[in-house]
Amino acid sequence: MSEKFIKCSCTSEYVRLSYDEEMQTIDLSVWSFQNSHGPTWADKLRWIWRIVTKGSPYGDQVILEKEQVKEIIDYLQNKELY
């Protein structure tokens, strides 16, 4: 699985894009910077609970198939961002 991290302009989050070759999908998720002290026990327990009950630690993960990725590419290429 290959992945790419793109830092947010606000510098407090990253967007993580990861390609799953087996499923041929792109997983998109938002990662937050942790404070300099690291995650608290409450944070760790919250993440564990989310994994146990939801199966994934991410509340913001989006899985995109080829057609959806093409839509995003087309949208971005048709905008005058540059």
Side-chain angles (χ1 to χ4, degrees):
M1 184 179 293
S2 64
E3 56 186 12
K4 170 83 175 166
F5 288 88
I6 301 170
K7 192 174 195 177
C8 179
S9 297
C10 71
T11 69
S12 64
E13 286 97 12
Y14 280 100
V15 171
R16 176 183 167 258
L17 300 168
S18 121
Y19 178 67
D20 185 329
E21 291 183 31
E22 183 179 325
M23 299 294 292
Q24 294 188 341
T25 58
I26 301 263
D27 300 346
L28 183 144
S29 57
V30 177
W31 289 36
S32 295
F33 281 117
Q34 297 296 321
N35 60 31
S36 61
H37 305 292
T40 65
W41 276 103
D43 291 333
K44 291 177 184 179
L45 290 172
R46 184 171 37 85
W47 295 334
I48 291 168
W49 181 251
R50 181 164 190 88
I51 291 168
V52 168
T53 60
K54 306 284 187 200
S56 172
Y58 311 112
D60 58 1
Q61 184 175 16
V62 177
I63 298 173
L64 304 170
E65 295 181 5
K66 285 182 181 180
E67 286 303 313
Q68 296 159 316
V69 172
K70 287 177 186 176
E71 286 182 46
I72 292 172
I73 291 169
D74 289 343
Y75 176 79
L76 293 173
Q77 286 179 337
N78 290 321
K79 297 296 172 192
E80 295 183 25
L81 300 173
Y82 307 101

